[in-house]
Amino acid sequence: MTAIAKDPATGVTARAAGFIHAAAWILGLAAAWGATPEAGDTHVGITTAYADRPVQAMAQALLVHGVAAVSLVVVGSGLLDWARRTSNTAARMAGWAGRVAGALAFVQLVLELIAVPGADPASPGRTGALFEAVQRADGVKMFALAALAAAACAASQHGTLLRRWEVVIGWVLAVTITASGIGYLLLSTALTPTAFISLPLLLIWIAALGAALRHRP
């Protein structure tokens, strides 16, 4: 109990971050449902969507790539603290992967803060290129999240961190989000739909991971 209280990135903070991550994604998707462009859209379609609904697009960006990014960094920091106290190398790798994923999400936010206000349907090339850069960064972020899931599951041998069902979800997440990452990195419309599977798993699993850090000494 004393060890948890000493570090703000663990305990109640990590648990809250896990739930905030899920809430930010849900609110972000709801704020701009059907109003933002998708992978595979033309530059004209991307720019028009941003120009027509900038408020919704900005709200989604701030929640999904802002608030959620901070939450990932906090969870990653909680894992690093737990790794230091337990000398668990896999947990240390997971913690750094979480921090990297959060940093990549912040890069996406910066790109969107440039793309959305500057959307001009008369000159769609710049906005379209920025949107594609966001998607490719998303692909790299998904690889970092896959590494986070795999390393955290590896760190959970003998139930030291995650419970069995959380480990199962973590391994499934690692596989599905890797496929999603390939799709977004290559802008492949054949693979990007796997995000419909990996995203719900991610939200559930990050919340479970934060809660696990709350209850582990």
Side-chain angles (χ1 to χ4, degrees):
M1 184 66 69
T2 302
I4 289 177
K6 285 182 179 179
D7 197 319
T10 57
V12 174
T13 305
R15 182 183 186 184
F19 288 113
I20 290 171
H21 177 267
W25 263 100
I26 293 169
L27 291 173
L29 292 175
W33 187 261
T36 52
E38 299 179 359
D41 287 354
T42 65
H43 285 192
V44 173
I46 293 165
T47 307
T48 300
Y50 278 159
D52 287 348
R53 298 177 178 86
V55 175
Q56 292 96 318
M58 290 294 288
Q60 184 178 83
L62 290 169
L63 287 164
V64 169
H65 297 143
V67 176
V70 174
S71 299
L72 282 174
V73 171
V74 172
V75 172
S77 296
L79 273 167
L80 286 173
D81 180 74
W82 187 80
R84 283 192 296 269
R85 288 185 279 110
T86 59
S87 300
N88 191 308
T89 302
R92 185 177 299 111
M93 293 174 60
W96 280 111
R99 284 185 169 183
V100 168
L104 287 167
F106 184 74
V107 169
Q108 291 179 276
L109 174 61
V110 171
L111 292 173
E112 288 170 313
L113 291 178
I114 298 171
V116 177
D120 181 3
S123 181
R126 177 173 175 271
T127 301
L130 285 168
F131 175 80
E132 289 176 354
V134 171
Q135 302 306 295
R136 294 186 192 278
D138 210 9
V140 179
K141 182 183 73 179
M142 290 177 186
F143 295 150
L145 290 169
L148 163 61
C153 289
S156 300
Q157 294 181 6
H158 311 300
T160 53
L161 178 61
L162 298 172
R163 290 170 291 182
R164 181 172 298 178
W165 70 267
E166 294 165 338
V167 170
V168 171
I169 290 179
W171 283 119
V172 175
L173 170 63
V175 173
T176 56
I177 206 166
T178 296
S180 300
I182 295 171
Y184 277 84
L185 185 62
L186 301 179
L187 302 179
S188 168
T189 55
L191 288 174
T192 51
T194 56
F196 287 104
I197 300 172
S198 61
L199 179 57
L201 292 175
L202 175 68
L203 302 188
I204 293 168
W205 189 79
I206 291 294
L209 176 60
L213 288 169
R214 169 68 180 89
H215 295 295
R216 294 298 183 268

